[in-house]
Amino acid sequence: MILCPISPRVFVLPSEGLVAEAYLSAEHEDSISPGLPPLSTGLLSDADDVPPGATLTAHFLYHLAAKMDLKMEIFSLGDISKTVGKILTDMSSLYDVGRRKRSAGLLLIDRTLDLLTPCCHGDSLVDRMFSSLPHRNRTFSHGSGSQLKLSSSYLHRAPLDVQIPLAKILDEEDWQIDNFRLLETVEAFLCGWNSGNSDSQIEGLINLSQKIHDKPSQSDVEILTGSFVSSENFRGMPLLEAILDRKTKDGALLVKKWLQETLRRENVTVNVKSRPGLVTKPELQAMIKALSRSQSSLLRNKGIIQLASATLFALEESNYAKWDAFSSAEKILGVSSGETSQSLAIQIGDLINKTAFLGSHVNEGKREISKGLLSLQDALLLMIIGYILAGENFPTSGSDGPFSWQEEHLLKEAVVDALLENPSVANLKFLHGLREDLETNVSKSKSEETAEEPSKLDIDDFDDDQWGKWGDEDGDGDNKNEKVYGDVQLKLELRDRVDNFFKFLHKLSDLKRKNIPLRDGSLTTEANFDEDRKGLLYKLLTRVLGKYDVPGLEYHSSTVGRLFKSGFGRFGLGQAKPSLADQNVILVFVIGGINGLEVREAHKALGESGRPDIELLVGGTTLLTSNDMLDLLLGDSSYI
């Protein structure tokens, strides 16, 4: 596939394609992650140093414009966007310009100008769905693309293909009975399809009988895993588009309304209590089951059933509570960043200490505590958010970080202690090669604790045999010294790794100072995390559509435009610089990825501009969740 449409107005690149997985920055002092553009310092690299992701993105956009028969007026914000814009203008020839094509505006934006929005948990039903639903495992194909990917300039992104667990939502007993019938019809059809090969037909029938008599295996369950957009049912597409523009509560109410309309159309009655303006889990589940009772109804209404099942999964207590815990923690950090650096540092330290304490209790077998609560991995993501906020709100922060030495020292100690207690917390790249040592250290200390407890009870002060052990004390002392030395060495090594992690956090807190387009402060995010907090995309589109000046926004003039400027300009025939707001079609492409909240904000900015005539398309390298951001910044796909 060339692109992956989420709705008729929103698209991303296929998650395992070459364009989406090519590096967007090489490793140097201004780069943050191979999957994100570097900081926009204004020091553009030479043509040889253009990352493969930038070149491939430019080629993709050129061919997309050619397919849509559009002549692009290109605007860019950020260094990599500028590079992509230059490649695009160099590719457009005189022949392209001469042909009469519909004009459209292309706005390229670097993801690195706003890392806060994709890291945060905004009020978007689509984001909740993508974060909570299980995703398909990566496929390992043997094509030419996979050969290319073996080189070092490609990263591995998580597949965007979500798997909606319909089988779990339709009741277990119902599903087991119907599954045999479904298997029978599906496999009998497949046997008929391959009837040319009699051997495969016999094998298929044997497999079929085995599957019917045995219990359904994991692969059979996958027959009933849904996807958002499926080729056999295109009716789900407008529903998904409508949900993209909704908050969590509004989106869930819309899904409930569609379910009720579908049930009326199918003449199916459901005995369930329904309260207007409220969506409950049992109510949704009952309606989904009623629609799925017959196979014909299930196939006819697959789009709404899958979307409702995804909504149900996102509203499940554990997923919902965890998202809300994240959201409230982010709001607290936002409020603290509006006060003093000390209060923000205290809040971050509290988060690290609480999650470390809970993590150690969960490891001891008290798993019921963890429901809906944050892990140490989540606290590290919140720490990243805290540092970005600190960099934006405390302008005096220098290269040593936004906090004082004392505040940062306490934070470092908290992180070191937390990692010593919970070493298997996450796939953190800065712990590579050290995790096994940390895990053995934790298990050793736990086994020693359990061994010490009975020994305290068994001490007998009048044991005659004690004198016999008198000469062996030195040997025990050596072992103890060795153990202490090993512990100290491990802690020092961990401290070094944590120091590197904090250097990376300093780089993130410098986003506002180092990114030239953000320096004047008109595009940076406000400190307050209330309902009206908006990301960069909303602010940028509001300014552009209002025809205000945007610092750092560059226009890339076409070949003919450059001719006019140089030659015909002498005769007073020079072209005026076009405005993006004058275009009837605007394509916004975020290099590095977008999330569902930004799509909603972009359409809100368009709605508020009073320009209903503009057709807005939003695209990005991939659809980002907060988990993807953690992987890009601290996981295997990072430069830390």
Side-chain angles (χ1 to χ4, degrees):
M1 286 172 73
I2 297 170
L3 57 83
C4 170
I6 299 169
S7 86
R9 295 181 295 170
V10 182
F11 70 91
V12 291
L13 304 178
S15 50
E16 290 175 73
L18 288 174
V19 189
E21 299 203 335
Y23 275 19
L24 287 169
S25 66
E27 192 167 0
H28 56 85
E29 61 175 341
D30 290 327
S31 61
I32 288 171
S33 165
L36 294 167
L39 301 174
S40 297
T41 52
L43 307 166
L44 269 177
S45 55
D46 301 323
D48 299 339
D49 296 338
V50 174
T55 313
L56 288 168
T57 303
H59 281 261
F60 157 74
L61 290 167
Y62 176 77
H63 289 296
L64 182 68
K67 287 277 179 201
M68 294 168 80
D69 209 32
L70 294 173
K71 173 184 168 281
M72 292 290 192
E73 297 289 353
I74 304 159
F75 296 81
S76 65
L77 189 72
D79 284 2
I80 286 290
S81 296
K82 206 178 285 183
T83 307
V84 171
K86 280 184 178 175
I87 298 169
L88 272 169
T89 44
D90 291 344
M91 284 172 77
S92 59
S93 63
L94 279 168
Y95 167 71
D96 283 335
V97 176
R99 293 173 64 207
R100 298 193 68 173
K101 291 183 177 183
R102 190 181 175 192
S103 178
L106 171 64
L107 175 58
L108 298 165
I109 307 165
D110 275 16
R111 173 75 276 166
T112 318
L113 295 174
D114 177 18
L115 290 180
L116 207 53
T117 308
C119 281
C120 289
H121 294 67
D123 193 3
S124 160
L125 183 58
V126 171
D127 280 345
R128 278 189 193 248
M129 286 177 182
F130 266 93
S131 292
S132 56
L133 285 165
H135 288 240
R136 174 178 58 76
N137 293 327
R138 283 185 68 88
T139 51
F140 294 97
S141 58
H142 299 288
S144 56
S146 61
Q147 294 295 319
L148 267 169
K149 280 194 199 176
L150 293 174
S151 67
S152 58
S153 53
Y154 289 89
L155 69 146
H156 292 296
R157 292 191 190 273
L160 293 177
D161 191 7
V162 295
Q163 296 188 320
I164 303 164
L166 293 176
K168 284 181 188 170
I169 289 160
L170 307 174
D171 205 7
E172 282 301 315
E173 301 96 56
D174 303 348
W175 139 249
Q176 296 234 335
I177 297 159
D178 288 346
N179 184 41
F180 298 141
R181 291 188 207 138
L182 187 65
L183 268 175
E184 223 168 317
T185 47
V186 169
E187 298 231 6
F189 169 74
L190 289 175
C191 290
W193 190 263
N194 293 328
S195 56
N197 186 343
S198 56
D199 295 343
S200 70
Q201 195 175 357
I202 293 159
E203 275 176 36
L205 288 167
I206 293 165
N207 291 341
L208 170 61
S209 62
Q210 281 174 351
K211 280 183 180 175
I212 288 171
H213 293 300
D214 299 341
K215 282 189 174 180
S217 66
Q218 187 61 37
S219 60
D220 304 335
V221 175
E222 284 172 15
I223 289 177
L224 275 183
T225 54
S227 167
F228 277 131
V229 182
S230 47
S231 53
E232 71 270 17
N233 191 312
F234 55 89
R235 287 182 194 167
M237 181 62 104
L239 307 182
L240 189 61
E241 184 185 13
I243 275 185
L244 266 170
D245 288 346
R246 304 283 169 146
K247 293 184 177 181
T248 308
K249 192 183 172 187
D250 299 343
L253 284 169
L254 201 58
V255 169
K256 177 182 160 182
K257 184 185 147 201
W258 289 332
L259 274 173
Q260 288 169 333
E261 285 171 2
T262 315
L263 286 165
R264 274 199 293 273
R265 201 171 56 241
E266 292 283 336
N267 287 330
V268 178
T269 51
V270 185
N271 295 325
V272 66
K273 285 181 182 176
S274 178
R275 287 170 63 189
L278 199 71
V279 181
T280 60
K281 196 181 162 190
E283 183 186 6
L284 276 183
Q285 199 156 6
M287 290 198 277
I288 294 166
K289 276 189 193 177
L291 267 183
S292 313
R293 220 154 265 159
S294 71
Q295 281 187 31
S296 57
S297 168
L298 177 70
L299 288 171
R300 254 198 316 275
N301 304 302
K302 201 174 174 187
I304 180 62
I305 288 170
Q306 291 186 157
L307 207 55
S309 303
T311 308
L312 189 63
F313 201 80
L315 297 179
E316 232 174 48
E317 195 184 345
S318 57
N319 297 328
Y320 198 82
K322 187 168 184 179
W323 188 279
D324 284 354
F326 249 122
S327 190
S328 57
E330 284 154 11
K331 281 176 184 164
I332 290 166
L333 289 178
V335 170
S336 303
S337 68
E339 295 166 5
T340 60
S341 64
Q342 192 179 359
S343 63
L344 183 58
I346 289 166
Q347 291 295 346
I348 296 171
D350 278 356
L351 282 166
I352 296 286
N353 291 328
K354 276 179 195 167
T355 52
F357 175 73
L358 280 167
S360 59
H361 276 266
V362 169
N363 291 341
E364 286 167 23
K366 301 176 184 173
R367 285 212 168 268
E368 70 277 0
I369 310 174
S370 67
K371 200 171 185 182
L373 292 172
L374 303 175
S375 65
L376 181 55
Q377 180 181 355
D378 303 331
L380 292 175
L381 180 65
L382 287 165
M383 198 171 190
I384 287 171
I385 293 168
Y387 263 78
I388 295 173
L389 283 169
E392 284 181 5
N393 290 293
F394 310 130
T396 51
S397 62
S399 57
D400 295 335
F403 301 113
S404 70
W405 180 88
Q406 192 181 5
E407 289 159 1
E408 190 145 284
H409 178 70
L410 289 170
L411 285 177
K412 279 183 187 175
E413 288 302 309
V415 173
V416 168
D417 291 344
L419 289 171
L420 278 169
E421 285 175 38
N422 308 290
S424 55
V425 57
N427 193 14
L428 302 171
K429 199 171 180 181
F430 70 90
L431 287 183
H432 276 195
L434 200 64
R435 194 183 288 110
E436 284 177 17
D437 294 345
L438 288 167
E439 281 172 8
T440 50
N441 182 52
V442 168
S443 55
K444 204 186 289 176
S445 60
K446 277 186 182 169
S447 61
E448 277 171 15
E449 278 170 27
T450 50
E452 274 172 25
E453 283 167 16
S455 67
K456 284 174 191 168
L457 302 171
D458 295 345
I459 288 173
D460 186 357
D461 292 335
F462 305 104
D463 190 355
D464 297 333
D465 207 30
Q466 276 186 344
W467 291 103
K469 294 177 184 172
W470 189 53
D472 299 335
E473 282 178 5
D474 295 341
D476 291 345
D478 287 347
N479 288 341
K480 270 188 181 173
N481 289 342
E482 236 174 80
K483 186 189 177 301
V484 168
Y485 172 71
D487 286 354
V488 169
Q489 201 176 15
L490 186 66
K491 208 164 183 181
L492 285 171
E493 177 67 27
L494 182 60
R495 277 219 172 88
D496 277 354
R497 303 284 182 97
V498 170
D499 277 345
N500 280 340
F501 167 55
F502 272 81
K503 279 176 191 164
F504 178 71
L505 289 175
H506 293 168
K507 194 190 281 188
L508 292 179
S509 68
D510 272 354
L511 285 172
K512 184 179 176 181
R513 198 169 57 87
K514 283 198 170 178
N515 279 321
I516 289 173
L518 303 181
R519 277 186 193 165
D520 78 324
S522 60
L523 294 173
T524 43
T525 318
E526 307 96 0
N528 57 327
F529 264 70
D530 57 8
E531 290 301 308
D532 296 328
R533 183 191 154 269
K534 297 287 184 292
L536 174 99
L537 203 55
Y538 173 86
K539 291 180 181 175
L540 183 59
L541 282 171
T542 304
R543 288 181 76 91
V544 161
L545 295 172
K547 296 195 175 181
Y548 294 108
D549 192 39
V550 178
L553 187 68
E554 185 165 316
Y555 170 65
H556 299 264
S557 57
S558 61
T559 324
V560 168
R562 287 198 293 272
L563 265 174
F564 265 112
K565 201 182 280 183
S566 56
F568 300 120
R570 298 172 199 162
F571 306 107
L573 296 169
Q575 278 185 321
K577 179 184 169 184
S579 165
L580 196 59
D582 296 335
Q583 306 294 331
N584 288 330
V585 178
I586 297 176
L587 168 59
V588 178
F589 191 86
V590 184
I591 299 174
I594 51 167
N595 71 355
L597 182 69
E598 287 182 306
V599 172
R600 198 184 86 218
E601 286 183 354
H603 288 134
K604 190 176 181 183
L606 179 64
E608 289 173 359
S609 70
R611 293 285 306 275
D613 54 313
I614 291 179
E615 196 178 338
L616 180 70
L617 303 172
V618 181
T621 308
T622 187
L623 192 72
L624 290 169
T625 63
S626 54
N627 293 338
D628 297 331
M629 289 303 292
L630 189 68
D631 185 53
L632 285 170
L633 297 171
L634 298 181
D636 284 336
S637 309
S638 68
Y639 278 141
I640 190 167

